[in-house]
Every structure is written in structure tokens, then in C-alpha cells.
Amino acid sequence: MADQNVRNAGFTPSGITGGSLASSLMSQEARASGGGVRSGGPTSTLQEMGAKGTTHSSGYTSSGISGGSRASDTMSKEATAHGGGVPRGGTTSTVQSISMGGKGGRR
């Protein structure tokens, strides 16, 4: 289900769907970073997963983040960089939210 949620949000094997949650997230992220979407950020991570169908195998599941997974590693690095917490709108919270059918951690 997580992979389908990511695709439903507009992250597909053929790219980001215009007018979708994905395109809105990409636009917000690009504006916030001065015009580009960074590698490892929410948009690039979700697009990679949407193209490959790897959300669940990466550790973003409907039960939460799997220990020892790519998602767990991302969450740990993000928490360390932000003094112990995972920021709303960051990669971990946004990918987990969308993989569960949510709208991501809006800034």
C-alpha cells in the first residue's frame, strides 16, 4: 500500500505528475532552497521510490519506520543534524507521511 500511496501522490515511474501533491511539494522545496531540489530531500527521495516501487523495502511502512533500514538511517542522520528531533517537513516525516497516505509534513 505504501508504494501505491506514493504513486497516488504523483511520484510515478514516468516522473512527477503535474497538479499533484508531488508537484506542490517539489515547488515548495525548490522555493525554500533557492530554486533547486536537493538530492536526499523529500522530493528526490519520494520520486526515486515512486519510480522504483521501493517505499516499503526502504523501511517506510504503514506500521512506521523499520529498524535497521534506509529509512531508519535517514531518520537518525536527520535527528542528529537537528539536535535530536526529526523536523516537520524534513525527508523522514514527509516520506513517512506520504507513504501512509498523508499529505506530508507541510512547512
Side-chain angles (χ1 to χ4, degrees), residues 58-81:
S58 295
Y60 296 96
T61 74
S62 58
S63 302
I65 292 176
S66 300
S69 66
R70 174 181 170 190
S72 175
D73 183 57
T74 300
M75 182 174 68
S76 177
K77 288 177 182 172
E78 207 168 12
T80 299

Side-chain angles (χ1 to χ4, degrees), residues 35-48:
V37 175
R38 69 178 175 85
S39 176
T43 301
S44 64
T45 300
L46 283 157
Q47 182 52 42
E48 176 188 348

Side-chain angles (χ1 to χ4, degrees), residues 7-107:
R7 288 193 176 129
N8 289 345
F11 297 97
T12 72
S14 58
I16 291 177
T17 305
S20 67
L21 175 61
S23 67
S24 176
L25 180 65
M26 182 175 67
S27 176
Q28 289 174 10
E29 190 176 348
R31 281 194 309 268
S33 66
V37 175
R38 69 178 175 85
S39 176
T43 301
S44 64
T45 300
L46 283 157
Q47 182 52 42
E48 176 188 348
M49 292 176 179
K52 295 180 180 178
T54 60
T55 306
H56 189 80
S57 64
S58 295
Y60 296 96
T61 74
S62 58
S63 302
I65 292 176
S66 300
S69 66
R70 174 181 170 190
S72 175
D73 183 57
T74 300
M75 182 174 68
S76 177
K77 288 177 182 172
E78 207 168 12
T80 299
H82 289 90
V86 176
R88 181 177 178 180
T91 301
T92 302
S93 62
T94 301
V95 174
Q96 183 61 33
S97 174
I98 290 174
S99 70
M100 293 180 73
K103 296 186 188 248
R106 298 279 173 116
R107 290 190 171 112

